[in-house]
Amino acid sequence: MARLHEFEGKRLLSGRGLEVPRGSIACSPDEAEAAAIALGGACVVKVQAWTTGRKALGGVALVETAREARHAAARMLGMQVGNFAVDRVLVEERVEIARELFVSMYIDDAARAPRILLSLSGGSGVEARGDAAMRLECDPLDGVNEAELAGVLRRSDLSEPEREAVAEAVRQVFAVARAHEARSVEINPLAILRDGRVVAADCRVTIDDYAVFRHPDLGIEIARELDHPPTVLERIAYRVEQADHRGTFYFAQLNTKPEIGSKGLVGFHGAGGGGSMMSMDAITNAGFTIANFCDTSGNPSAAKVYRAARIILSQPGLCGYFGSGSGVASQEQFWSAYGLAKAFWELNLDIPVVIRLGGNAEDRAVEILESVGATVPATIEGYRKDDPPRKIADRFAALVAGSVRGEWRSRRARVPAFVGSARSYAINGGTVWLDEASCDAEATAMVVRHGAGLFDSREGRPALAVGEDELRSKDSELIACEVECRRGGRPVVFVELEIEGLD
Ligand code: GDP
Ligand code: MN
């Protein structure tokens, strides 16, 4: 879930005609003072951080003068909220609140429909107080059930103009959510002012991760709910996910050091939501600290799994690489095996690897994966759906305990000597190299056999059997061909894949 800051949410609301307090963002005490002067001195200074209950944290200050605004900003900037350092505050017009209401739209997953939650008393901490809130039905297209809304407001103690303003706020909350594919939009408080105006005094919006790319105007850098500012590797991983929509790839860094008493820091690679979680628990229960959470699933391309592995292995200090997923995946597991095999070979891996590739064609997947072990110093073991995560986590622990090579140090990926001079073709996100000079009859036959119809034999050498345009999207097939030729002792194909920011 991607979250917007309060002022961004308010911008969406005011764009729909809903009244919000005037104000602006300040990133320094100077800017806060200037913003306060523009508002006439008295104002509210608020931390912009993804949390509720800022008031209780000292993140909301009602001040009388611009100098006080400056001091409040100086105190708030740099404040730590969770793992985030506050780097901006909102300086806003002070409003005289007579009554606080609460309105939110959220997606009811069980009902598979949007709902409006409306409470006629709101304010900081309403979640904990659990004040009677009314749940209103919504049509996904038309919005709130108007008859139901009118009924609720009629039975309330609000005046007629207040009822109309609240009804309009409810409609606009829905409209904002629908236009930006939000999972939730919340106004707390929706404030009725002493002069009768109704304004949104606070706003929280979360956007569906899978919709973020359709809304570049929101300026969301990473469509993930992270509990820390995005790291360099997380940004790199996110770009990989954005550039390749085959399957999904999620990556979050969690620890850079093993916890005290831990058996070591593990590069974790899950495959398939629930299975990933179970596997993560298994490795944690076996006494390890995971460096990262990663999930590649939904039929990911070999290229995507390759890039995921490279990113995981950019973390220093790992004692091993542990992969495990749902175990009953219907997609052919060997595509993931090819991606992993390529990454492990390029990095000349020397830490233990345990990977469970359960599901369709798992025998072939395990065979491909384990064959890399012959070309690198690492012990690499593959497992199948009948091997429970707990068992393979124990096996991983035994391998790590017996390993003599020590911690992983990040390193450059190796490439064959012919890269740079051999025949090459451009593909999406990289280049494929073909070492024609080394292609005897046997190597040529191997390229053709494992080339998925992309190559045939001409004058005893492999030649493109498809147009160069068609070749572009065949990165996964080419990775398979590369790995198979290396396995067959004829390493004449190499797929060079870019990972923006990593190389
Ligand atoms: P939160 O604690 O993170 O939810 O931050 P809010 O922005 O909702 O502010 C918390 C509370 O501060 C609100 O519920 C109001 O009671 C109060 N507050 C915020 N802005 C104003 C304002 O302009 N005038 C007045 N009188 N109170 C305000
Ligand atoms: Mn609030």
Side-chain angles (χ1 to χ4, degrees):
M1 226 69 75
R3 289 168 291 188
L4 300 187
H5 280 302
E6 175 188 7
F7 72 95
E8 293 160 335
K10 283 178 167 171
R11 187 169 58 82
L12 301 181
L13 293 173
S14 76
R16 300 215 157 245
L18 209 71
E19 191 168 350
V20 303
R22 289 176 297 131
S24 58
I25 286 295
C27 298
S28 69
D30 279 347
E31 286 176 21
E33 185 170 4
I37 290 168
L39 292 169
C43 60
V44 190
V45 183
K46 296 204 242 178
V47 157
Q48 295 300 282
W50 292 309
T51 179
T52 42
R54 286 169 302 174
K55 199 175 183 188
L57 294 170
V60 176
L62 306 187
V63 302
E64 304 299 332
T65 67
R67 273 217 82 69
E68 283 174 38
R70 177 192 187 87
H71 290 311
R75 178 174 59 75
M76 290 176 192
L77 291 166
M79 212 170 109
Q80 201 71 20
V81 177
N83 290 323
F84 292 87
V86 173
D87 61 358
R88 60 193 70 184
V89 295
L90 177 60
V91 181
E92 232 179 34
E93 165 194 12
R94 264 262 298 271
V95 290
E96 295 308 316
I97 299 179
R99 176 168 180 173
E100 304 195 345
L101 288 66
F102 168 94
V103 184
S104 95
M105 190 237 64
Y106 66 99
I107 305 292
D108 183 336
D109 285 316
R112 295 163 155 263
R115 292 266 186 280
I116 289 282
L117 205 57
L118 173 65
S119 167
L120 299 179
S121 65
S124 225
V126 68
E127 302 89 345
R129 288 203 309 275
D131 286 5
M134 287 153 291
R135 226 166 285 271
L136 306 177
E137 300 276 331
C138 291
D139 178 277
L141 295 178
D142 298 337
V144 68
N145 182 325
E146 288 283 348
E148 201 182 355
L149 175 62
V152 162
L153 292 172
R154 206 177 318 111
R155 287 188 298 276
S156 75
D157 58 350
L158 297 173
S159 72
E160 184 52 38
E162 286 169 350
R163 285 176 201 170
E164 192 33 57
V166 171
E168 188 54 21
V170 169
R171 290 181 202 117
Q172 294 315 333
V173 161
F174 185 87
V176 163
R178 180 151 186 265
H180 297 91
E181 299 179 76
R183 295 277 312 174
S184 72
V185 172
E186 177 186 302
I187 302 179
N188 184 28
L190 178 68
I192 300 180
L193 307 187
R194 295 203 191 287
D195 61 12
R197 287 183 297 151
V198 174
V199 305
D202 184 16
C203 177
R204 295 164 57 79
V205 176
T206 58
I207 306 287
D208 192 326
D209 286 349
Y210 294 103
V212 163
F213 74 97
R214 284 193 288 272
H215 305 283
D217 54 308
L218 297 178
I220 296 172
E221 186 185 23
I222 293 199
R224 302 279 188 246
E225 182 154 13
L226 294 168
D227 65 354
H228 53 255
T231 64
V232 172
L233 284 182
E234 284 165 356
R235 286 176 211 263
I236 292 170
Y238 191 66
R239 278 200 294 271
V240 168
E241 170 66 357
Q242 293 303 98
D244 183 352
H245 288 294
R246 298 166 296 177
T248 58
F249 168 32
Y250 180 96
F251 175 83
Q253 279 186 282
L254 302 173
N255 296 288
T256 52
K257 284 199 270 303
E259 286 148 27
I260 295 163
S262 160
K263 291 180 184 161
L265 194 63
V266 177
F268 178 79
H269 192 154
S276 287
M277 297 294 180
M278 232 170 72
S279 306
M280 192 170 74
D281 286 348
I283 195 67
T284 310
N285 290 337
F288 291 92
T289 303
I290 54 172
N292 66 279
F293 180 73
C294 170
D295 187 41
T296 51
S297 57
N299 215 2
S301 61
K304 192 174 241 184
V305 173
Y306 161 81
R307 288 185 167 102
R310 287 283 316 276
I311 289 169
I312 290 170
L313 288 166
S314 296
Q315 303 172 111
L318 306 178
C319 68
Y321 193 106
F322 183 79
S324 170
S326 78
V328 291
S330 60
Q331 69 243 26
E332 295 164 325
Q333 293 296 300
F334 52 80
W335 293 112
S336 290
Y338 282 130
L340 294 170
K342 177 172 171 55
F344 295 166
W345 179 81
E346 285 184 13
L347 294 171
N348 197 27
L349 208 71
D350 56 7
I351 49 172
V353 177
V354 166
I355 305 228
R356 174 167 167 261
L357 288 160
N360 196 6
E362 59 182 17
D363 288 338
R364 182 174 162 200
V366 168
E367 190 203 326
I368 291 162
L369 185 74
E370 291 194 336
S371 69
V372 195
T375 62
V376 301
T379 303
I380 299 178
E381 296 187 355
Y383 291 90
R384 299 169 177 76
K385 62 171 162 289
D386 292 336
D387 305 306
R390 214 184 34 165
K391 173 185 147 187
I392 65 166
D394 288 344
R395 182 62 198 146
F396 179 82
L399 289 180
V400 169
S403 170
V404 291
R405 288 196 162 250
E407 285 179 356
W408 175 248
R409 275 169 297 149
S410 13
R411 58 194 68 177
R412 289 182 80 85
R414 59 177 158 173
V415 298
F418 60 82
V419 166
S421 58
R423 177 178 293 280
S424 68
Y425 303 97
I427 59 169
N428 293 342
T431 308
V432 57
W433 299 89
L434 187 60
D435 184 15
E436 289 181 318
S438 306
C439 283
D440 56 9
E442 198 187 328
T444 301
M446 204 173 282
V447 173
V448 173
R449 182 163 55 225
H450 297 295
L454 300 172
F455 301 99
D456 53 24
S457 166
R458 237 168 280 161
E459 290 160 21
R461 291 196 166 171
L464 262 198
V466 298
E468 292 196 21
D469 266 358
E470 191 180 334
L471 189 71
R472 284 184 172 276
S473 62
K474 304 294 186 192
D475 48 359
S476 286
E477 288 80 356
L478 291 166
I479 290 172
C481 187
E482 171 192 317
V483 172
E484 289 295 352
C485 289
R486 188 177 300 119
R487 249 153 65 83
R490 284 288 192 278
V492 293
V493 177
F494 186 77
V495 189
E496 194 180 14
L497 293 170
E498 293 144 16
I499 306 176
E500 202 192 325
L502 197 70
D503 302 314

